[in-house]
Amino acid sequence: LLNIMSSGEMGITYRKLGPADAAQYRAIRLESIRAHPESFGSGYEAQAKLPKLMFEQALERPYDQRFLIGAFDQDELIGICGFVPKSLTNTDLAHVGTIIQMYVRAAYSGRKVGFNLMTAVIAEAFKLGDIEQLVLGVRIGNLSAITVYEQVGFVTDEDAVGLDEGFQQMVLK
Protein backbone atom coordinates (compact mmCIF):
# COMPACT_ATOMS: atom_id res chain seq x y z
CA LEU A 1 0.00 0.00 0.00
CA LEU A 2 1.08 3.53 -0.73
CA ASN A 3 2.72 5.37 2.14
CA ILE A 4 1.26 8.87 1.90
CA MET A 5 3.43 10.64 4.43
CA SER A 6 5.35 9.92 7.55
CA SER A 7 6.34 11.78 10.63
CA GLY A 8 9.71 10.17 11.19
CA GLU A 9 10.46 11.55 14.63
CA MET A 10 7.36 9.87 16.00
CA GLY A 11 7.55 6.71 13.90
CA ILE A 12 3.97 7.23 12.74
CA THR A 13 3.08 6.51 9.13
CA TYR A 14 -0.05 7.38 7.15
CA ARG A 15 -1.54 5.35 4.31
CA LYS A 16 -4.74 4.27 2.65
CA LEU A 17 -6.32 1.30 4.32
CA GLY A 18 -6.85 -1.89 2.34
CA PRO A 19 -8.51 -5.29 2.78
CA ALA A 20 -5.84 -6.52 5.23
CA ASP A 21 -6.70 -3.61 7.56
CA ALA A 22 -10.42 -4.39 7.90
CA ALA A 23 -10.23 -6.02 11.35
CA GLN A 24 -8.11 -3.22 12.86
CA TYR A 25 -10.42 -0.66 11.24
CA ARG A 26 -13.50 -2.29 12.83
CA ALA A 27 -11.85 -2.30 16.26
CA ILE A 28 -10.81 1.36 16.18
CA ARG A 29 -14.11 2.50 14.65
CA LEU A 30 -16.12 0.79 17.39
CA GLU A 31 -13.69 2.20 19.98
CA SER A 32 -14.29 5.72 18.61
CA ILE A 33 -18.06 5.38 18.84
CA ARG A 34 -17.88 3.95 22.36
CA ALA A 35 -15.44 6.62 23.59
CA HIS A 36 -17.20 9.60 21.97
CA PRO A 37 -20.84 8.75 21.18
CA GLU A 38 -21.71 12.45 21.12
CA SER A 39 -19.36 13.05 18.18
CA PHE A 40 -20.61 10.41 15.78
CA GLY A 41 -23.95 9.82 14.11
CA SER A 42 -23.93 6.08 14.82
CA GLY A 43 -24.59 4.33 18.11
CA TYR A 44 -22.15 1.75 19.42
CA GLU A 45 -24.66 -1.05 20.09
CA ALA A 46 -26.23 -0.85 16.63
CA GLN A 47 -22.85 -0.67 14.87
CA ALA A 48 -21.31 -3.50 16.92
CA LYS A 49 -24.15 -5.83 15.86
CA LEU A 50 -23.53 -5.26 12.15
CA PRO A 51 -21.64 -8.10 10.45
CA LYS A 52 -19.74 -5.49 8.39
CA LEU A 53 -19.43 -1.74 8.92
CA MET A 54 -19.80 0.47 5.84
CA PHE A 55 -16.07 1.02 5.42
CA GLU A 56 -15.27 -2.65 6.17
CA GLN A 57 -17.30 -3.51 3.08
CA ALA A 58 -15.54 -0.79 1.06
CA LEU A 59 -12.10 -1.99 2.20
CA GLU A 60 -12.83 -5.59 1.29
CA ARG A 61 -14.47 -4.80 -2.05
CA PRO A 62 -13.55 -1.32 -3.30
CA TYR A 63 -16.19 -0.25 -5.79
CA ASP A 64 -16.28 3.53 -5.66
CA GLN A 65 -14.14 6.49 -4.62
CA ARG A 66 -14.58 6.26 -0.85
CA PHE A 67 -11.43 5.60 1.13
CA LEU A 68 -9.88 5.65 4.59
CA ILE A 69 -6.48 6.90 5.63
CA GLY A 70 -4.98 5.29 8.68
CA ALA A 71 -2.28 6.47 11.07
CA PHE A 72 -0.04 3.64 12.21
CA ASP A 73 2.41 3.42 15.08
CA GLN A 74 4.47 0.48 13.86
CA ASP A 75 1.71 -1.95 12.79
CA GLU A 76 -0.95 -0.63 15.18
CA LEU A 77 -3.77 1.47 13.71
CA ILE A 78 -4.02 4.51 16.01
CA GLY A 79 -6.15 6.90 13.96
CA ILE A 80 -8.55 6.97 11.02
CA CYS A 81 -10.12 9.51 8.71
CA GLY A 82 -12.49 8.71 5.85
CA PHE A 83 -13.70 10.25 2.61
CA VAL A 84 -17.04 9.69 0.85
CA PRO A 85 -17.99 11.47 -2.38
CA LYS A 86 -21.41 13.16 -2.24
CA SER A 87 -22.06 11.75 -5.73
CA LEU A 88 -22.96 8.44 -4.04
CA THR A 89 -26.16 10.01 -2.73
CA ASN A 90 -26.65 13.10 -4.93
CA THR A 91 -25.34 13.35 -8.50
CA ASP A 92 -25.84 17.14 -8.40
CA LEU A 93 -23.05 17.27 -5.77
CA ALA A 94 -20.43 15.25 -7.68
CA HIS A 95 -17.89 18.02 -6.98
CA VAL A 96 -18.27 17.68 -3.18
CA GLY A 97 -16.76 15.12 -0.83
CA THR A 98 -17.41 14.48 2.86
CA ILE A 99 -14.77 13.87 5.52
CA ILE A 100 -16.08 11.35 8.06
CA GLN A 101 -15.04 9.13 10.97
CA MET A 102 -12.09 11.26 12.10
CA TYR A 103 -10.62 9.69 15.24
CA VAL A 104 -7.23 9.49 16.95
CA ARG A 105 -6.59 7.46 20.08
CA ALA A 106 -6.26 9.65 23.17
CA ALA A 107 -2.70 8.45 23.85
CA TYR A 108 -1.64 10.20 20.61
CA SER A 109 -3.36 13.52 21.33
CA GLY A 110 -1.18 16.59 20.83
CA ARG A 111 1.20 14.83 18.42
CA LYS A 112 -0.22 16.23 15.16
CA VAL A 113 -1.71 12.85 14.19
CA GLY A 114 -5.13 14.39 13.47
CA PHE A 115 -3.58 17.20 11.46
CA ASN A 116 -1.52 14.73 9.41
CA LEU A 117 -4.53 12.47 8.83
CA MET A 118 -6.61 15.41 7.61
CA THR A 119 -3.79 16.63 5.37
CA ALA A 120 -3.44 13.16 3.83
CA VAL A 121 -7.18 12.76 3.23
CA ILE A 122 -7.45 16.23 1.69
CA ALA A 123 -4.53 15.52 -0.67
CA GLU A 124 -6.02 12.18 -1.76
CA ALA A 125 -9.53 13.61 -2.19
CA PHE A 126 -8.37 16.45 -4.42
CA LYS A 127 -6.48 13.95 -6.60
CA LEU A 128 -9.91 12.69 -7.65
CA GLY A 129 -10.71 14.69 -10.74
CA ASP A 130 -14.23 15.81 -9.84
CA ILE A 131 -13.74 16.94 -6.25
CA GLU A 132 -13.65 20.72 -5.76
CA GLN A 133 -14.97 21.06 -2.20
CA LEU A 134 -14.85 19.10 1.05
CA VAL A 135 -17.33 19.29 3.91
CA LEU A 136 -17.47 17.81 7.39
CA GLY A 137 -19.73 17.94 10.40
CA VAL A 138 -18.38 18.61 13.86
CA ARG A 139 -20.04 18.88 17.25
CA ILE A 140 -20.37 22.51 18.32
CA GLY A 141 -17.95 23.02 21.19
CA ASN A 142 -15.50 20.28 20.12
CA LEU A 143 -12.69 22.84 20.14
CA SER A 144 -9.81 20.41 19.66
CA ALA A 145 -11.36 19.02 16.47
CA ILE A 146 -12.41 22.45 15.20
CA THR A 147 -8.88 23.76 15.77
CA VAL A 148 -7.37 20.94 13.67
CA TYR A 149 -9.94 21.47 10.92
CA GLU A 150 -9.21 25.20 10.84
CA GLN A 151 -5.46 24.51 10.75
CA VAL A 152 -5.87 22.50 7.53
CA GLY A 153 -8.06 25.19 5.96
CA PHE A 154 -11.69 24.43 6.82
CA VAL A 155 -14.02 27.31 7.70
CA THR A 156 -17.48 27.26 9.28
CA ASP A 157 -20.25 27.10 6.68
CA GLU A 158 -22.79 29.59 8.01
CA ASP A 159 -25.30 28.62 5.28
CA ALA A 160 -25.38 24.88 6.03
CA VAL A 161 -28.82 23.33 6.44
CA GLY A 162 -30.09 19.92 7.50
CA LEU A 163 -27.50 19.22 10.19
CA ASP A 164 -28.24 17.28 13.34
CA GLU A 165 -28.80 19.51 16.36
CA GLY A 166 -25.57 20.44 18.06
CA PHE A 167 -23.43 20.08 14.93
CA GLN A 168 -21.94 22.62 12.58
CA GLN A 169 -20.69 22.14 9.05
CA MET A 170 -17.25 23.20 7.92
CA VAL A 171 -16.09 23.53 4.32
CA LEU A 172 -12.81 23.56 2.40
CA LYS A 173 -12.66 24.77 -1.19
Side-chain angles (χ1 to χ4, degrees), residues 29-45 102-104 137-145 149 164-168:
R29 174 63 179 149
L30 292 175
E31 172 187 314
S32 72
I33 299 168
R34 180 182 282 154
H36 301 284
E38 73 286 353
S39 295
F40 297 102
S42 307
Y44 173 80
E45 288 76 20
M102 175 65 177
Y103 175 71
V104 176
V138 61
R139 177 153 300 282
I140 294 169
N142 186 346
L143 299 182
S144 61
Y149 302 152
D164 290 339
E165 186 176 331
F167 282 84
Q168 70 184 51

